[in-house]
Amino acid sequence: MVRRLLQSVPGSSRNLRTKGMLLGVACILLIILIGILQLQVVWGESRLLAQVQESNARHRTVASYLSLLQDVETGQRGYVVTGKPEFLQPFEHSARLIGPIEAELVDFYKPHSPEGRDVAILVRLGQAKLAFSRLVIARRQSAGEEDAAAIIGRGEGKRLMDRARIVAGTVERHEREHANALAFDHSGDRQRLQLVIVVAELLLLAAAASLLGSLLASIRSIDRARDEASDSARRQSAIFENASDAMMLLDHRGDIETVNVAAEQLFGHPRTEIIGRSNRFLFAQPPREEDSLAYLDRLAREDARTAATQNFAGRRANGSFVEVEVVTTPVRLNDGLHFLAVARDSTERRKVERLKSEFVATVSHELRTPLTSIAGSLGLLSGGAAGALPDKAARLIGIAHSNSQRLVRLINDILDIEKMESGKVVFEPQLLPVAALLAQAVQANLGFADQHGVGLLLAEVADNESMIADPDRMMQVLTNLLSNAIKYSPKNGTVRITSHREGVRQRISISDEGPGIPDEFRTRIFGKFAQADSTDTRLIGGTGLGLAIVKEIVERSGGLVSFDSTPGQGTTFHIDLPTPFALRRPVAAGDQRVRAGDKRCQILHVEDDADTLRLVASAFDGLADVHSTPSAQEAQASLYRFHYDAVILDVTMRDGSGLDLVPLISELEGETPIVLFTAADIGPATRAGVDGVLIKSRSTLADLVATVEQLLHGERELAAE
Ligand code: ADP
């Protein structure tokens, strides 16, 4: 709900912003349009004024022309009647002005327009009138008043003048009509423009009102978004502060930006001491800066949804250590990349896990011996060792035998996986020729394949192909995969084994023609006790642990396991293992120990009795790290890998004597004290190279701790953190 609200607010404000922008643009366009229209009105007015003035000028010119003709007439008549030359002055004056006015008149109008033609007639009439008047004046001067009056009396002058008046009237009428038409057209244009302006102004008003509305809505939506954001921030902050897990927000370099109360409590530092510092200062053994940056960089490049889990020993403000499990997720905010680290104290959980697996191991271990003998006895019985059995009894014994075998397998698998998970299995990686390894695995599984009527087909592998792995563990992996392939193959089916180099890896593939892996089971297939169809597999006989063991071994060998399967068409399992080209540090149990500090002692304890191993480990709890090793062989492998400050040896073990290790320890570790902690009472001859001997029946664990402490005294304190 909250998320929906938060999402809807930015969306609606974006809509409002778009709408506001559109309305703003519309308002600006309308204002420009109204301005242009107003300019047009003004231009129209001034054009009309100019045209009317031109028309008036033309009108006035025609009137002046007529008046000049009139003056000519008046001057001519006065001179004819009086014979006084002063009457000729106005005549001459008007006659001089007539020429320019005629030119003006001709210029006003186009020659072929009706007005142009009228003006041409008027000018011709005017010139005829002027010529007539000059003729009359010349006759008066030469022949006297009577002759001149006789010419006038013929009426030619009057006719010319009358016609000139009529034509001038026509031109003037045209001018008036023209001026009226202009005024009329202009008022029509002006009305249309005014109408458009009014409409544009109304639109502008509407757009401005909408703009105002959307501005108000925008302001309201921003207010709402701000309120919701601040509510959400308060909610998030309450969740962050009150979370039971420690939370830290880191910047892109891993410097701590924010922490919650749980983080302050977990590390015992107030937040003022944490914020601004690199997260590395919380580690008991801080990683190098470049390693830490590379780790964050890898996280950022990987899918942000896949948070990375890390286990490390943290250091509290008071100097004590705390086991921490931290999940780090990249978070991309507006100001760049950050990381959210969620940490919790895993000491208790690890203790419980340890207890649980120790319990499972103990129970399984205790069950294995009696079960093995039950299965063995039942096998003997069903094999006729105690004589022939009645049919019914033989059938029942057969069922009991196969089920007891299944139980033995289950217990062996449980013990295997528990040993591996608790790091008790030492891997001894070495260079393995692939062809020989596969031939051996095929040989070992031929009998099982025969029982199921399944053929094993090993494709040729190049002689020089090799990989890095522990041979025994690889045999366990191949046997598990081969037995699965055989079990799930149809009768007369074939299981194919191939191997080839893929880059720096060696790939081994085992294919069968069985039912395939159902899609819904694919993600669970490597889980413990995972079976696609438990009723079916119960018939086939399995524990659901085989593939979990395969995965554990392959991954701890630095490899990968995967499969391709089409339901109904068989399955191919692939294991990809390191080759000499990708040689890396061998994965071994002790390799993963976290040394809590430099002062802490490392003790190797070799003992085949699990109880004694556990008791000794707990006796040194808090004083030293005890590496418990259940066999001489494993102890040897560990000695090749790690330094120890002291070694505690049992003498008689199933796979040899601890005493056999003494020369090796002396050779590898020099002065490292060796203590025998044994049930057997041993003589002084066997004590060579040994620094102390404690007989179990006569010594307590406290004696053992004291002896080791004493031997170390002066060299190294058996002190707690
Ligand atoms: P199990 O002992 O039951 O075989 P595994 O861990 O080896 O246990 O296998 C788990 C389950 O995976 C099996 O029960 C089976 O359902 C499925 N499975 C394993 N290998 C194959 C295979 N080759 N073909 C089909 N199903 C297989």
Side-chain angles (χ1 to χ4, degrees):
M1 162 76 181
V2 172
R3 191 181 303 159
R4 214 174 49 236
L5 255 175
L6 283 175
Q7 280 169 349
S8 74
V9 169
S12 70
S13 80
R14 210 175 305 124
N15 286 346
L16 279 174
R17 213 167 40 229
T18 317
K19 190 176 162 195
M21 271 167 60
L22 287 175
L23 285 169
V25 171
C27 284
I28 291 169
L29 289 177
L30 283 167
I31 289 169
I32 293 172
L33 179 69
I34 291 169
I36 292 171
L37 292 171
Q38 293 284 18
L39 275 177
Q40 273 193 352
V41 171
V42 174
W43 284 331
E45 296 280 343
S46 53
R47 205 169 51 240
L48 176 70
L49 192 65
Q51 285 170 336
V52 168
Q53 278 170 352
E54 277 171 26
S55 175
N56 285 343
R58 286 195 296 272
H59 192 274
R60 268 198 311 280
T61 310
V62 171
S64 312
Y65 188 64
L66 210 59
S67 147
L68 283 175
L69 289 180
Q70 198 68 54
D71 289 348
V72 165
E73 165 98 1
T74 310
Q76 168 230 302
R77 279 180 190 273
Y79 180 69
V80 169
V81 173
T82 62
K84 292 181 182 166
E86 54 261 41
F87 281 97
L88 287 181
Q89 275 171 4
F91 172 83
E92 289 302 340
H93 175 74
S94 302
R96 266 197 311 277
L97 290 178
I98 274 178
I101 288 189
E102 279 174 349
E104 233 178 285
L105 275 175
V106 171
D107 270 0
F108 278 151
Y109 301 100
K110 290 192 190 94
H112 299 296
S113 64
E115 293 85 0
R117 278 195 295 273
D118 285 345
V119 164
I121 294 168
L122 180 63
V123 167
R124 269 201 308 280
L125 287 170
Q127 285 171 354
K129 172 68 188 165
L130 187 59
F132 176 78
S133 293
R134 285 194 193 284
L135 178 74
V136 171
I137 290 170
R139 188 57 66 87
R140 171 72 173 87
Q141 282 169 342
S142 59
E145 186 187 354
E146 271 182 34
D147 267 12
I151 296 171
I152 293 171
R154 284 206 290 273
E156 179 63 15
K158 183 175 179 302
R159 269 197 305 279
L160 284 170
M161 199 60 207
D162 287 346
R163 282 192 57 203
R165 267 194 209 96
I166 291 166
V167 174
T170 312
V171 173
E172 281 174 349
R173 201 180 65 247
H174 277 156
E175 277 305 333
R176 261 197 315 279
E177 281 170 4
H178 178 64
N180 284 343
L182 278 178
F184 184 76
D185 286 354
H186 174 76
S187 94
D189 286 351
R190 194 193 152 98
Q191 272 174 12
R192 272 193 298 281
L193 272 175
Q194 293 288 17
L195 192 70
V196 176
I197 288 172
V198 168
V199 171
E201 280 172 349
L202 285 175
L203 283 176
L204 178 62
L205 209 66
S210 297
L211 183 61
L212 196 70
S214 83
L215 265 177
L216 289 174
S218 237
I219 290 168
R220 270 200 305 275
S221 127
I222 289 168
D223 283 351
R224 207 169 47 238
R226 205 186 38 226
D227 289 352
E228 276 162 9
S230 93
D231 274 2
S232 158
R234 272 200 294 275
R235 254 194 306 269
Q236 309 284 358
S237 148
I239 294 169
F240 183 75
E241 280 302 335
N242 297 309
S244 57
D245 284 338
M247 291 188 184
M248 289 170 276
L249 193 68
L250 314 178
D251 69 10
H252 68 286
R253 296 186 51 81
D255 291 343
I256 302 168
E257 295 184 324
T258 327
V259 295
N260 67 353
V261 178
E264 292 177 300
Q265 287 165 352
L266 180 63
F267 294 103
H269 288 283
R271 64 186 64 196
T272 45
E273 282 177 16
I274 306 180
I275 290 173
R277 300 184 70 173
S278 163
N279 72 86
R280 293 182 300 122
F281 105 99
L282 298 172
F283 286 67
Q285 287 187 316
R288 292 180 316 155
E289 189 180 3
E290 53 268 38
D291 292 342
S292 165
L293 288 176
Y295 176 75
L296 294 178
D297 191 44
R298 204 184 64 236
L299 264 188
R301 271 184 283 118
E302 283 166 9
D303 188 349
R305 284 166 301 169
T306 54
T309 307
Q310 227 188 349
N311 288 295
F312 72 92
R315 189 193 292 277
R316 290 205 173 96
N318 62 10
S320 64
F321 302 109
V322 55
E323 298 257 21
V324 177
E325 183 184 86
V326 58
V327 179
T328 314
T329 326
V331 183
R332 283 169 218 284
L333 302 179
N334 283 336
D335 64 345
L337 178 65
H338 298 253
F339 294 91
L340 178 67
V342 180
R344 67 167 57 153
D345 182 347
S346 59
T347 320
E348 271 310 304
R349 185 176 58 75
R350 286 175 166 232
K351 213 162 147 188
V352 170
E353 269 172 16
R354 232 177 358 253
L355 279 176
K356 188 199 78 187
S357 61
E358 277 173 13
F359 173 75
V360 171
T362 314
V363 171
S364 310
H365 200 270
E366 296 310 317
L367 281 175
R368 180 154 65 172
T369 318
L371 256 176
T372 314
S373 52
I374 291 171
S377 310
L378 289 170
L380 287 174
L381 274 180
S382 70
L389 296 173
D391 275 358
K392 202 166 172 191
R395 226 178 18 258
L396 292 173
I397 292 286
I399 293 171
H401 180 221
S402 78
N403 277 295
S404 59
Q405 275 182 323
R406 215 178 130 220
L407 270 178
V408 171
R409 270 201 308 277
L410 177 66
I411 284 180
N412 284 341
D413 282 355
I414 291 178
L415 282 173
D416 271 353
I417 203 144
E418 193 281 326
K419 266 196 339 206
M420 253 175 293
E421 283 179 348
S422 60
K424 289 196 193 119
V425 177
V426 177
F427 281 65
E428 298 217 47
Q430 49 182 263
L431 197 62
L432 287 181
V434 181
L437 178 80
L438 293 183
Q440 195 190 344
V442 166
Q443 190 61 37
N445 285 280
L446 266 182
F448 189 57
D450 277 350
Q451 274 174 32
H452 286 78
V454 173
L456 294 185
L457 193 71
L458 172 59
E460 202 176 327
V461 181
D463 276 347
N464 61 352
E465 284 191 5
S466 52
M467 58 190 201
I468 309 283
D470 178 318
D472 293 343
R473 301 293 153 217
M474 271 311 112
M475 276 304 286
Q476 196 175 356
V477 166
L478 292 171
T479 303
N480 279 359
L481 292 178
L482 280 172
S483 66
N484 274 352
I486 295 166
K487 275 192 301 189
Y488 293 99
S489 282
K491 211 167 172 61
N492 297 323
T494 306
V495 171
R496 289 180 173 74
I497 304 113
T498 57
S499 181
H500 60 273
R501 172 76 41 83
E502 279 202 353
V504 292
R505 302 254 150 173
Q506 184 72 26
R507 167 164 280 207
I508 298 174
S509 306
I510 295 175
S511 318
D512 62 53
E513 297 161 352
I517 314 289
D519 281 347
E520 63 282 6
F521 184 57
R522 298 174 80 95
T523 50
R524 290 184 291 126
I525 191 162
F526 292 109
K528 279 186 263 178
F529 302 105
Q531 294 182 321
D533 178 348
S534 45
T535 47
D536 197 39
T537 39
R538 209 158 286 145
L539 292 177
I540 290 174
T543 61
L545 285 171
L547 289 179
I549 293 173
V550 166
K551 185 167 191 287
E552 187 77 26
I553 294 178
V554 171
E555 287 184 353
R556 288 189 55 184
S557 306
L560 282 173
V561 56
S562 56
F563 65 91
D564 299 320
S565 178
T566 314
Q569 291 177 27
T571 308
T572 303
F573 276 90
H574 309 283
I575 50 174
D576 298 289
L577 286 152
T579 59
F581 300 104
L583 196 56
R584 29 182 277 176
R585 225 155 61 99
V587 179
D591 211 13
Q592 293 172 351
R593 283 175 308 171
V594 177
R595 282 185 75 107
D598 283 344
K599 280 200 208 131
R600 201 150 178 159
C601 264
Q602 304 293 321
I603 297 176
L604 175 69
H605 182 203
V606 191
E607 164 71 71
D608 67 347
D609 181 71
D611 286 341
T612 314
L613 275 179
R614 264 194 310 280
L615 287 172
V616 169
S618 57
F620 282 95
D621 206 16
L623 297 172
D625 279 342
V626 177
H627 187 177
S628 307
T629 319
S631 72
Q633 208 193 345
E634 285 192 25
Q636 197 174 347
S638 303
L639 281 164
Y640 277 121
R641 278 177 172 66
F642 308 109
H643 273 300
Y644 294 101
D645 302 303
V647 181
I648 303 170
L649 296 174
D650 186 13
V651 173
T652 44
M653 290 184 294
R654 279 183 284 273
D655 69 335
S657 168
L659 287 170
D660 299 341
L661 297 170
V662 174
L664 180 69
I665 299 168
S666 308
E667 186 192 325
L668 295 172
E669 298 285 359
E671 296 299 299
T672 293
I674 302 174
V675 177
L676 298 184
F677 188 51
T678 171
D681 211 348
I682 55 165
T686 43
R687 297 184 180 205
V690 170
D691 301 283
V693 177
L694 283 105
I695 308 301
K696 285 178 184 166
S697 53
R698 285 183 243 139
S699 317
T700 62
L701 289 170
D703 294 335
L704 179 66
V705 173
T707 306
V708 174
E709 211 167 13
Q710 213 177 358
L711 286 167
L712 285 168
H713 194 71
E715 270 184 74
R716 192 181 266 257
E717 284 280 312
L718 258 186
E721 301 111 32

